[in-house]
Amino acid sequence: MLSFHPTLPIVVIAVGALALGLCLWQLVAARGRRLAWMRRALLVLLAVAMAFRPALPGGEVPTASIQARVFVMIDTSQSVAAEDWGTEPRLTGMQADVVEIARSFAGADISVISFDSQASLRVPLTDDGSAVIEMVRALRPEIALQSRGTSVAAAHDLLRTELERSAAEDPNSPAVVFYLGDGEHTAEEEPQSFDDLAGQIDRGLVLGYGTEQGGRMRVSSFDAGQQQQYLQDPAGGDAISRIDEGRLRGIADQLGITYLHRAPGLPIEDALGPMAALDGEANLDRTEEARLEVAWIFGIPIALLLAWEGFSLARSLRTTSGILPKREQR
């Protein structure tokens, strides 16, 4: 959970005030080094501001008393850019469904794991639904040139680690797993089975995205020009990605949960509501303000100021090392 210790604001203010006072005192006393102490005073102010985790309003999320550990695994390989979620990429549908998962399981601890060529823990278990939503909305498909082939089971080991760790910390909370993908397996080796994890999972859904007709994929790239192009197959035409429902159903069987094909216009709330109700009650009529944390923005000027400080220190040491030998000769 993301929360402050009750004494943290007092400690931050006290330490920040002492550090800022020292900087201001030196700013007055050390007249020859005012720029350096102004830089350090600014560093203190930015660090204190960052410690208080400033945030912008991010809409509203429902309050709830659901007790569960929810793990969301979401495919971010190049294939989720396939434009067969209506006319939108599959990732658009996945992101919308994660929002509904966060709403339905409001109050529960939710974690997000993305997988493409490798698996990444995007959000550790947290009851901050707005953090989950904002992170998933920011997800983009893997850069095409960096892809080394995707296994549908790329998140297996990371999921097992998170299940075991969280169960040790909170053994009374059920584990709910959501797997969001298209079933397209492009790695050379066969995917690892999830059946060894079934005993650690209480319920969940495998959600499938895409169509049998498939869709073209815009190139995922750092180059804005390439982002308007479509991925090409070896023959020179547009590459087409198609859903593999057989593989997705196999994953659902291995995990011991249900497979559900997703398409635009099909509501998912009916499937999520009864599942969430087993672990508590979500009050969708009572909401609280969601927060979009912007503390990371302060890290940019802090990093620049620290680099400036390091450069200044290195130059000072170099100057000092050049003076000392002359004094020794005297």
Side-chain angles (χ1 to χ4, degrees):
M1 295 184 182
L2 298 175
S3 59
F4 284 128
H5 189 279
T7 60
L8 181 59
I10 299 175
V11 172
V12 170
I13 292 173
V15 174
L18 287 173
L20 185 60
L22 173 63
C23 291
L24 294 177
W25 174 57
Q26 289 293 328
L27 188 58
V28 174
R31 295 183 178 180
R33 303 190 62 197
R34 284 185 173 176
L35 183 59
W37 286 104
M38 287 177 63
R39 179 175 67 239
R40 291 159 191 165
L42 183 57
L43 266 171
V44 171
L45 291 173
L46 289 170
V48 170
M50 189 174 186
F52 278 94
R53 294 171 55 197
L56 298 174
E60 294 185 336
V61 294
T63 60
S65 57
I66 293 176
Q67 185 73 20
R69 294 171 289 129
V70 181
F71 299 90
V72 178
M73 294 184 290
I74 182 168
D75 188 350
T76 51
S77 62
Q78 177 67 56
S79 64
V80 301
E83 297 174 348
D84 56 359
W85 180 262
T87 59
E88 297 293 322
R90 293 170 188 166
L91 184 57
T92 301
M94 295 178 181
Q95 291 167 326
D97 283 350
V98 173
V99 172
E100 292 305 321
I101 291 171
R103 284 179 55 83
S104 296
F105 285 85
D109 289 328
I110 306 177
S111 173
V112 178
I113 297 172
S114 68
F115 64 94
D116 37 57
S117 297
Q118 59 186 5
S120 301
L121 182 61
R122 297 287 184 169
V123 182
L125 279 173
T126 175
D127 63 351
D128 186 351
S130 61
V132 171
I133 291 171
E134 293 305 323
M135 168 54 72
V136 171
R137 282 175 174 167
L139 287 177
R140 295 293 180 267
E142 180 184 28
I143 300 300
L145 294 178
Q146 295 179 354
S147 177
R148 301 184 302 276
T150 299
S151 169
V152 293
H156 173 280
D157 292 346
L158 184 52
L159 175 62
R160 179 178 60 190
T161 298
E162 292 302 302
L163 283 168
E164 293 174 350
R165 182 192 60 76
S166 62
E169 296 177 356
D170 190 5
N172 296 321
S173 293
V176 184
V177 170
F178 294 96
Y179 179 107
L180 289 72
D182 54 27
E184 189 171 75
H185 181 83
T186 57
E188 293 183 0
E189 65 279 0
E190 279 298 303
Q192 188 174 6
S193 175
F194 284 96
D195 56 8
D196 60 317
L197 304 182
Q200 302 181 53
I201 297 170
D202 293 276
R203 63 190 69 91
L205 291 171
V206 172
L207 304 175
Y209 302 81
T211 63
E212 293 182 358
Q213 295 76 25
R216 300 185 301 168
M217 298 163 281
R218 289 191 186 273
V219 175
S220 182
S221 172
F222 294 118
D223 186 335
Q226 288 186 348
Q227 292 174 10
Q228 303 305 314
Q229 302 174 12
Y230 284 95
L231 197 66
Q232 300 295 294
D233 62 23
D238 291 332
I240 302 296
S241 172
R242 297 177 176 85
I243 188 172
D244 188 337
E245 290 197 275
R247 201 177 286 276
L248 290 171
R249 287 193 177 93
I251 293 172
D253 291 341
Q254 293 164 15
L255 291 170
I257 56 180
T258 302
Y259 171 69
L260 181 65
H261 180 248
R262 301 292 298 125
L266 294 179
I268 195 174
E269 297 87 339
D270 293 343
L272 297 175
M275 189 182 301
L278 294 172
D279 305 311
E281 183 176 353
N283 184 354
L284 299 182
D285 295 325
R286 200 178 98 211
T287 61
E288 62 184 14
E289 186 179 64
R291 300 171 71 249
L292 174 57
E293 296 198 20
V294 294
W296 62 270
I297 295 177
F298 291 94
I300 299 173
I302 287 175
L304 293 174
L305 288 170
L306 286 174
W308 187 2
E309 184 74 19
F311 176 77
S312 178
L313 178 61
R315 187 174 59 180
S316 176
L317 290 174
R318 187 165 60 248
T319 302
T320 303
S321 64
I323 293 174
L324 287 176
K326 295 181 180 180
R327 289 180 176 175
E328 290 172 0
Q329 288 176 2
R330 293 179 183 178

